[in-house]
Amino acid sequence: TQLLEQSPQFLSIQEGENLTVYCNSSSVFSSLQWYRQEPGEGPVLLVTVVTGGEVKKLKRLTFQFGDARKDSSLHITAAQPGDTGLYLCAGAASDYKLSFGAGTTVTVRA
Amino acid sequence: DARVTQTPRHKVTEMGQEVTMRCQPILGHNTVFWYRQTMMQGLELLAYFRNRAPLDDSGMPKDRFSAEMPDATLATLKIQPSEPRDSAVYFCASGPPGQARKTQYFGPGTRLLVL
């Protein structure tokens, strides 16, 4: 059982469309991170959110941390083929351990 | 461009053989993590070190896995004896002092296949 539930598991969209990936938990986290992983590579950190209600923007990517610090979302505007990859959320509790969600595989078709 | 390096990138071995995976964390990072990724379980934390001291290895099968940091520039993960169920991608990650809870940099992984 994953501590963090990600949805949807798979997402396939056309270039130019928007998408949202969700990350939910019943646990409270001190911080939450989003990673993107491409085939044959390790996860690459996109953003870390630490404050409940926090919103961070990274170009066309918008990340939000829930007020209660139990959930998060990633929104991509006008998706491009280069956004294709496995998106992982990971929550940190009081120590250094990260609990990862199962991931959302995003495919953006040209 | 500082990166975590891992060797070997691929390893195919037979059941019962010893496997050693190596990781060089980013210079100056004092926290090192070992993860395993499979299709069924996703990314799981196996062990982590801070300032070369093991802080938690509760995610590791103790009877066959061992993790060490002989020095600040080298972390090793050893499996002896290996079993087919150990087939997975093993990632090393490192984090900077005081920031490892919020910032981890992953290596490219070692893809292990145990026949």
Side-chain angles (χ1 to χ4, degrees), chain A residues 59-80:
Chain A
K59 297 183 180 178
R60 294 176 293 98
L61 279 60
T62 301
F63 304 86
Q64 187 163 6
F65 202 12
D67 291 341
R69 290 185 288 133
K70 294 182 179 181
D71 53 83
S72 181
S73 64
L74 157 62
H75 183 78
I76 302 179
T77 304
Q80 299 176 0

Side-chain angles (χ1 to χ4, degrees), chain B residues 37-97:
Chain B
Q37 187 175 38
T38 62
M39 290 292 291
M40 294 299 295
Q41 300 296 327
L43 259 173
E44 303 174 286
L45 179 66
L46 297 176
Y48 70 98
F49 296 76
R50 187 172 62 179
N51 297 325
R52 295 176 55 200
L55 290 190
D56 192 317
D57 62 0
S58 59
M60 261 185 357
K62 299 291 190 301
D63 56 338
R64 299 182 300 106
F65 284 58
S66 62
E68 296 179 346
M69 278 202 75
D71 61 62
T73 64
L74 177 64
T76 62
L77 179 66
K78 189 175 295 185
I79 307 174
Q80 169 62 23
S82 59
E83 297 181 1
R85 59 180 167 152
D86 301 328
S87 297
V89 183
Y90 291 82
F91 289 104
C92 174
S94 69

Side-chain angles (χ1 to χ4, degrees), chain A residues 9-73:
Chain A
Q9 188 175 358
F10 299 96
L11 197 53
S12 180
I13 60 171
Q14 201 68 34
E15 181 177 5
E17 295 181 339
N18 302 333
L19 69 95
T20 302
V21 177
Y22 299 93
C23 177
N24 296 295
S25 176
S26 57
S27 301
V28 176
F29 295 103
S30 61
S31 67
L32 195 138
Q33 302 171 24
W34 284 95
Y35 292 82
R36 180 170 66 214
Q37 183 178 17
E38 298 186 16
E41 300 295 330
V44 175
L45 180 65
L46 296 174
V47 78
T48 300
V49 285
V50 297
T51 305
E54 182 177 4
V55 176
K56 277 192 174 179
K57 295 197 175 189
L58 186 66
K59 297 183 180 178
R60 294 176 293 98
L61 279 60
T62 301
F63 304 86
Q64 187 163 6
F65 202 12
D67 291 341
R69 290 185 288 133
K70 294 182 179 181
D71 53 83
S72 181
S73 64

Side-chain angles (χ1 to χ4, degrees), chain A residues 90-108:
Chain A
S94 58
D95 54 17
Y96 291 92
K97 292 174 150 181
L98 282 183
S99 297
F100 279 84
T104 296
T105 300
V106 171
T107 303
V108 182

